[in-house]
Amino acid sequence: MSDGIAWIGAHHHTPSSAVPGMLGGISLTLARGVESDEFLINLGADLDELAARTPCRELSAPAGQPGQPSPRLNRAMYGTCGEWTYVLEDWGMATWATGYQGKVESMVPCEGEEILCLTANRFSPPALIIHAPGACAYRADFGTDTGQGSALDAALSAARAVFPSMPEASEAEVVAHFEEHGERLPELVFTAAGAYTGVAIDQDAVKAGDLPGVLIAPA
């Protein structure tokens, strides 16, 4: 078993490769207070695929019908750890993040649920933290916190994932800190998320594609 989820951040800059599962550039969505299959259905997962529990490595996008465009589908790998459901995606973003920001009704956060999303945001950097401890969601770029004084913010500070910023620090200090520590920032953010949630995900199982997977169209 891999230690926590820091390894996901450590491979943030690793190109998505031809491994059967996933390793580089993974976006992670964590949810609790909602049943696992229900959360995946809200993301757009197919009921039959969920029931099949097919290993992610065996999934392939269906061919389009003659005369009809084939929908773009991305693999998502999922599992549970403690009270959390986790969803892993390596297509460049997290489906929940795109859906929530696009106000897709099934992905709007609700009271009684908590969602923590770390999206690589490859198409519109920087990478983002989105934390919805209830019906309100708070965003932060990697290197900052949500400004809510939450336990998540405390974990980010403890992991040194909150970098100096202006005007509290000079421009030279901010630049120097990013130059020295910026490469490790995603690992620090995922370290903090792991400390806050207690979630651990087996790196070998993810790399091999052994966890169940579904195909989801981006929101």
Side-chain angles (χ1 to χ4, degrees):
M1 170 70 75
S2 299
D3 182 16
I5 56 175
W7 64 269
I8 299 176
H11 287 281
H12 179 81
H13 300 293
T14 302
S16 296
S17 60
V19 297
M22 302 178 189
L23 182 63
I26 292 174
S27 296
L28 172 68
T29 307
L30 299 163
R32 65 177 172 180
V34 56
E35 197 270 335
S36 180
D37 281 6
E38 180 183 350
F39 183 69
L40 286 154
I41 290 167
N42 289 342
L43 292 182
D46 180 79
L47 278 168
D48 291 337
E49 274 190 348
L50 278 175
R53 297 292 191 261
T54 303
C56 186
R57 66 177 181 274
E58 296 178 12
L59 289 178
S60 59
Q65 298 298 316
Q68 297 181 7
S70 178
R72 185 163 65 89
L73 297 171
N74 300 307
R75 295 187 308 166
M77 201 179 311
Y78 64 92
T80 59
C81 182
E83 58 189 347
W84 294 90
T85 295
Y86 58 81
V87 181
L88 304 156
E89 301 171 83
D90 67 350
W91 59 273
M93 300 184 75
T95 296
W96 182 84
T98 61
Y100 152 71
Q101 293 175 95
K103 295 183 169 44
V104 175
E105 186 175 353
S106 66
M107 300 186 209
V108 174
C110 302
E111 288 296 341
E113 301 174 3
E114 180 175 6
I115 298 171
L116 175 58
C117 183
L118 307 178
T119 177
N121 227 26
R122 289 282 173 89
F123 309 120
S124 182
L128 287 177
I129 302 164
I130 306 177
H131 184 214
C136 293
Y138 306 96
R139 291 175 40 169
D141 295 348
F142 276 26
T144 68
D145 63 27
T146 68
Q148 299 303 303
S150 63
L152 173 63
D153 285 347
L156 288 165
S157 293
R160 299 185 179 179
V162 180
F163 281 13
S165 61
M166 296 183 291
E168 289 77 13
S170 70
E171 182 178 357
E173 289 172 326
V174 170
V175 170
H177 193 87
F178 268 89
E179 286 180 348
E180 183 176 356
H181 303 288
E183 189 72 18
R184 287 197 64 226
L185 177 56
E187 182 178 357
L188 301 177
V189 171
F190 276 87
T191 296
Y196 172 70
T197 62
V199 168
I201 303 174
D202 190 331
Q203 178 180 349
D204 291 338
V206 173
K207 185 177 179 180
D210 290 340
L211 300 180
V214 288
L215 295 170
I216 297 177

